[in-house]
Amino acid sequence: MFSLTLFAETMDYKINVIRPRYFVKKNRLELASEAHMVMNETFTYTLMFSAMTAYHLTEYLAFGLDAVLGVNFNKADNKTLRKDYGINIGTSHTRYNLNASIMWSPVYGKYQLSSGRLIYFDTFFSAGGGYSNISIKEPSEDKNNNKDTFIHLDCVAASMGAGQRFYLNKHVSLRWQIRNIIVHIDQADKTCTPGPAENSTMERYLYHTIMFQAGASYFI
Amino acid sequence: MSQVIILLFVFVAQTSFANFKSAQRDFVGKKYKKAAAKFFQIMNYPKSTQEKLKSEWGLAQSLQKLGFYYSASKYYSVIVRRGASQRNAYFRKAFEELGEINSIINLGEAHIVQLLKTKVNPARIPGVARGFYFHYQGVNSFRNGNYKLAQSAFQKVPSSSPYHVKSLFFLGILANMEKLYGRAISYFMKVKSSSDSEWLQEVATLNIARVHYEARRYRQALRYYAEIPRESDNWLQALFEGSWAFFLMKKYNHTLGNIHTFTSPFFHNRFYPEIYVLQAITFLNLCRYDEVKSSINKFKDRYTPAFKDLRKLINRYRSDHAKFFRLIKKYREGSLKGYRNAHVVVDSLSRRDIYKEALMTVRFSTRELERLENASQLWLRSGLIDDLKSFLVKKRSVSMSSAGAKLLEGARESVEYLTELYNQTRFIKAELLLGRVDKLRSLLKVSTAEKKANFIGGMREIARKSELEFWPFEGEYWEDELGGYVYDIVSSCKK
């Protein structure tokens, strides 16, 4: 790193590479599909799949819509607690999410593999909002009755994330991102509240679904 | 007694005639190995001239069917060299077959030149072979400097012939030599649009660029230079010639940017010594005298050691051309240890068409010789193997020595070229030392400055809505950046 900087500093002129961009996103439609793994659930696994479409207005800015659908499984710990210790944990997970977002891709770079092949990539940040369906499991308090109660809430959600795309050719890229979908839930009445209630002692909290997503996209 | 003799004669005649018939039967029954051996025997001991001619033809056909193309060409050539006459019934067909074989594997220039020495009435050349005949007549005349004859020959190549497009290419070169630029471009455009060969399309594009360059239409020249793809063997040559076009347009940032590609480790072994001189005179025009000296020194450091090794090489192989060819082959195979400083010139010689064509001839000859090792006992007993071996060994040897002679001539030209460039650098350095900078710059005065044209890296003009990427060069050469460099340097000349 030091020698490279020294090279640049010893000359009173510069040498640049100016050429057409390898992967042009402007005015192109991106279609993507990803698998998601929710990372912040202690007692359940939630796997989700999404389909996304985004239109790139410029090289740096895109507008996207995505739909995410999930399936949920109990973790072994959860089963052990219930079976061996009679403890029934209340859980919640996102069942589906519909989202619109803006993506900003300020970083464009390249990487050379040991074989000599070059991989171009960019880094993007996304922010948006949409709709999430949260499923909350109310554990049954009657030990003789194992029927749990499920409440499904449709809540307005906000999302934010960061990720990267690796371009395989002029149409296809592999992508990954970490995204957080945030929903505001009223714990007491199990509703989605748009804002804090006045004079209320009810517990409200932000429900986070932090997902690791990976998939592929195709640019038309 | 006379009756006995007559009976014997009839018996022998019948036996010979039966052998020819049996050879024909074998040929028709696709038993080509047997047929070839029999035809060879009959050819050497014919009962009549007709039988000899027929068996010659039969032998050539059998060998061709077995994929022994060079071997077959020997006998076809014998028929053709006999000339067109009523007695030589297979002349036309043999000519056609030679043309057919040449389109599969190159017979080699030496072989074809021998064929063309036969005095033939062009009207007797069969339709299918006319393209082959006139194209190579044109090529031969072109190489000997008979340009009018060459032009006339190329124009006779029929448009349906597979040699038509190559002939158009030569016609373009000839038109350019007469400074008929429009016509030359039109010929090269036809080659581009009608050729299936990517290589020929690229070379046609390169030549269109060169015609524009000669006509001082540098902007158009660069447009065509930029079309040569990065993966092409011609790309570096296009970049080099484009550098001169930029220089003549006074686009010094692009001249220096193009030259920067040549200094990368990727092209360390490529022979473009002139880039240092171009770099020096570009810096001179920018009044950057330290950089001028640095360019001259780089040229000397790089090429002065090459002189010694080159002269050794030329002296050693001046009388053994085949060995020189083998040396170049050794270099291409990566096993040449000696003459390290001359490797850069050896590399450039190994990229020439002469070397590549001769190498193909050597390879095909060797392949046929190897196949002969496993040929049947029939061939061995009949003497066919020995006959073919001697032909193929000679063909290989002639090809190597003929190519070796031309490559050695190329090496001599490289020495003269380097000497000339070396003298130019000494002249520049001397003038700088004597302070005659203005005089020197006046010699390099370029009148054509195209201010309207703006270029990015890769010799491309900026398109209005194109998305560009911009990477600063910080001492590291990336393969994808080669050819895309542009300097950002300001002239130090006092206004």
mmCIF file of all heavy atoms in Angstrom, chain A residues 48-64:
data_model
loop_
_atom_site.group_PDB
_atom_site.id
_atom_site.type_symbol
_atom_site.label_atom_id
_atom_site.label_comp_id
_atom_site.label_asym_id
_atom_site.label_seq_id
_atom_site.Cartn_x
_atom_site.Cartn_y
_atom_site.Cartn_z
ATOM 1 N N MET A 48 -37.183 -18.045 4.821
ATOM 2 C CA MET A 48 -38.083 -17.267 3.967
ATOM 3 C C MET A 48 -37.542 -17.241 2.540
ATOM 4 O O MET A 48 -36.344 -17.448 2.311
ATOM 5 C CB MET A 48 -38.193 -15.831 4.499
ATOM 6 C CG MET A 48 -38.609 -15.786 5.969
ATOM 7 S SD MET A 48 -38.813 -14.122 6.570
ATOM 8 C CE MET A 48 -40.542 -13.896 6.345
ATOM 9 N N PHE A 49 -38.433 -16.982 1.626
ATOM 10 C CA PHE A 49 -38.043 -16.866 0.217
ATOM 11 C C PHE A 49 -38.680 -15.598 -0.324
ATOM 12 O O PHE A 49 -39.805 -15.271 0.027
ATOM 13 C CB PHE A 49 -38.518 -18.088 -0.571
ATOM 14 C CG PHE A 49 -37.905 -19.354 -0.073
ATOM 15 C CD1 PHE A 49 -38.562 -20.131 0.869
ATOM 16 C CD2 PHE A 49 -36.651 -19.735 -0.500
ATOM 17 C CE1 PHE A 49 -37.969 -21.278 1.366
ATOM 18 C CE2 PHE A 49 -36.060 -20.892 -0.012
ATOM 19 C CZ PHE A 49 -36.717 -21.669 0.930
ATOM 20 N N SER A 50 -37.941 -14.934 -1.175
ATOM 21 C CA SER A 50 -38.479 -13.676 -1.699
ATOM 22 C C SER A 50 -38.323 -13.595 -3.185
ATOM 23 O O SER A 50 -37.460 -14.232 -3.798
ATOM 24 C CB SER A 50 -37.763 -12.492 -1.052
ATOM 25 O OG SER A 50 -36.411 -12.458 -1.476
ATOM 26 N N ALA A 51 -39.189 -12.772 -3.754
ATOM 27 C CA ALA A 51 -39.071 -12.379 -5.163
ATOM 28 C C ALA A 51 -39.030 -10.866 -5.166
ATOM 29 O O ALA A 51 -39.786 -10.223 -4.434
ATOM 30 C CB ALA A 51 -40.259 -12.886 -5.959
ATOM 31 N N MET A 52 -38.142 -10.336 -5.962
ATOM 32 C CA MET A 52 -37.971 -8.896 -5.952
ATOM 33 C C MET A 52 -37.858 -8.352 -7.350
ATOM 34 O O MET A 52 -37.338 -9.022 -8.253
ATOM 35 C CB MET A 52 -36.691 -8.558 -5.164
ATOM 36 C CG MET A 52 -36.449 -7.070 -5.010
ATOM 37 S SD MET A 52 -34.701 -6.618 -5.024
ATOM 38 C CE MET A 52 -34.366 -6.607 -6.734
ATOM 39 N N THR A 53 -38.359 -7.159 -7.535
ATOM 40 C CA THR A 53 -38.107 -6.465 -8.793
ATOM 41 C C THR A 53 -37.676 -5.044 -8.459
ATOM 42 O O THR A 53 -38.195 -4.447 -7.515
ATOM 43 C CB THR A 53 -39.341 -6.503 -9.722
ATOM 44 O OG1 THR A 53 -39.015 -5.789 -10.922
ATOM 45 C CG2 THR A 53 -40.549 -5.848 -9.097
ATOM 46 N N ALA A 54 -36.705 -4.568 -9.199
ATOM 47 C CA ALA A 54 -36.236 -3.203 -8.940
ATOM 48 C C ALA A 54 -35.934 -2.530 -10.266
ATOM 49 O O ALA A 54 -35.443 -3.158 -11.202
ATOM 50 C CB ALA A 54 -34.981 -3.228 -8.078
ATOM 51 N N TYR A 55 -36.207 -1.275 -10.307
ATOM 52 C CA TYR A 55 -35.868 -0.497 -11.503
ATOM 53 C C TYR A 55 -34.761 0.477 -11.138
ATOM 54 O O TYR A 55 -34.883 1.246 -10.180
ATOM 55 C CB TYR A 55 -37.092 0.267 -12.019
ATOM 56 C CG TYR A 55 -36.793 1.025 -13.287
ATOM 57 C CD1 TYR A 55 -36.672 0.356 -14.500
ATOM 58 C CD2 TYR A 55 -36.603 2.414 -13.273
ATOM 59 C CE1 TYR A 55 -36.378 1.036 -15.668
ATOM 60 C CE2 TYR A 55 -36.311 3.099 -14.443
ATOM 61 C CZ TYR A 55 -36.191 2.404 -15.631
ATOM 62 O OH TYR A 55 -35.892 3.066 -16.793
ATOM 63 N N HIS A 56 -33.680 0.417 -11.889
ATOM 64 C CA HIS A 56 -32.522 1.272 -11.602
ATOM 65 C C HIS A 56 -32.646 2.577 -12.379
ATOM 66 O O HIS A 56 -32.513 2.590 -13.605
ATOM 67 C CB HIS A 56 -31.233 0.518 -11.947
ATOM 68 C CG HIS A 56 -30.984 -0.648 -11.051
ATOM 69 N ND1 HIS A 56 -30.122 -0.581 -9.986
ATOM 70 C CD2 HIS A 56 -31.526 -1.883 -11.044
ATOM 71 C CE1 HIS A 56 -30.122 -1.751 -9.363
ATOM 72 N NE2 HIS A 56 -30.973 -2.560 -9.979
ATOM 73 N N LEU A 57 -32.869 3.635 -11.624
ATOM 74 C CA LEU A 57 -33.045 4.944 -12.272
ATOM 75 C C LEU A 57 -31.687 5.485 -12.746
ATOM 76 O O LEU A 57 -31.583 6.087 -13.804
ATOM 77 C CB LEU A 57 -33.664 5.934 -11.281
ATOM 78 C CG LEU A 57 -35.053 5.521 -10.780
ATOM 79 C CD1 LEU A 57 -35.344 6.199 -9.442
ATOM 80 C CD2 LEU A 57 -36.113 5.894 -11.794
ATOM 81 N N THR A 58 -30.690 5.271 -11.936
ATOM 82 C CA THR A 58 -29.328 5.680 -12.287
ATOM 83 C C THR A 58 -28.406 4.554 -11.868
ATOM 84 O O THR A 58 -28.878 3.511 -11.396
ATOM 85 C CB THR A 58 -28.911 6.971 -11.569
ATOM 86 O OG1 THR A 58 -28.779 6.681 -10.162
ATOM 87 C CG2 THR A 58 -29.913 8.089 -11.749
ATOM 88 N N GLU A 59 -27.119 4.760 -12.025
ATOM 89 C CA GLU A 59 -26.161 3.741 -11.580
ATOM 90 C C GLU A 59 -26.181 3.592 -10.073
ATOM 91 O O GLU A 59 -25.751 2.587 -9.528
ATOM 92 C CB GLU A 59 -24.737 4.117 -12.024
ATOM 93 C CG GLU A 59 -24.444 3.912 -13.495
ATOM 94 C CD GLU A 59 -24.722 2.497 -13.965
ATOM 95 O OE1 GLU A 59 -24.255 1.542 -13.318
ATOM 96 O OE2 GLU A 59 -25.439 2.349 -14.971
ATOM 97 N N TYR A 60 -26.660 4.611 -9.386
ATOM 98 C CA TYR A 60 -26.562 4.624 -7.919
ATOM 99 C C TYR A 60 -27.897 4.428 -7.220
ATOM 100 O O TYR A 60 -27.943 4.041 -6.071
ATOM 101 C CB TYR A 60 -25.948 5.960 -7.460
ATOM 102 C CG TYR A 60 -24.625 6.229 -8.134
ATOM 103 C CD1 TYR A 60 -24.530 7.112 -9.216
ATOM 104 C CD2 TYR A 60 -23.478 5.573 -7.726
ATOM 105 C CE1 TYR A 60 -23.324 7.319 -9.863
ATOM 106 C CE2 TYR A 60 -22.266 5.773 -8.366
ATOM 107 C CZ TYR A 60 -22.199 6.652 -9.439
ATOM 108 O OH TYR A 60 -21.010 6.838 -10.081
ATOM 109 N N LEU A 61 -28.993 4.697 -7.942
ATOM 110 C CA LEU A 61 -30.293 4.719 -7.277
ATOM 111 C C LEU A 61 -31.280 3.779 -7.963
ATOM 112 O O LEU A 61 -31.391 3.762 -9.195
ATOM 113 C CB LEU A 61 -30.849 6.153 -7.349
ATOM 114 C CG LEU A 61 -31.655 6.643 -6.156
ATOM 115 C CD1 LEU A 61 -30.851 6.552 -4.859
ATOM 116 C CD2 LEU A 61 -32.062 8.098 -6.403
ATOM 117 N N ALA A 62 -31.969 2.997 -7.118
ATOM 118 C CA ALA A 62 -32.985 2.090 -7.671
ATOM 119 C C ALA A 62 -34.190 2.076 -6.757
ATOM 120 O O ALA A 62 -34.098 2.388 -5.564
ATOM 121 C CB ALA A 62 -32.401 0.682 -7.793
ATOM 122 N N PHE A 63 -35.305 1.714 -7.358
ATOM 123 C CA PHE A 63 -36.541 1.594 -6.597
ATOM 124 C C PHE A 63 -37.029 0.170 -6.727
ATOM 125 O O PHE A 63 -37.137 -0.339 -7.842
ATOM 126 C CB PHE A 63 -37.570 2.586 -7.155
ATOM 127 C CG PHE A 63 -38.911 2.473 -6.534
ATOM 128 C CD1 PHE A 63 -39.144 2.896 -5.233
ATOM 129 C CD2 PHE A 63 -39.963 1.929 -7.254
ATOM 130 C CE1 PHE A 63 -40.403 2.767 -4.649
ATOM 131 C CE2 PHE A 63 -41.231 1.804 -6.680
ATOM 132 C CZ PHE A 63 -41.434 2.226 -5.384
ATOM 133 N N GLY A 64 -37.312 -0.492 -5.606
ATOM 134 C CA GLY A 64 -37.652 -1.897 -5.674
ATOM 135 C C GLY A 64 -38.908 -2.283 -4.921
ATOM 136 O O GLY A 64 -39.344 -1.572 -4.004
#
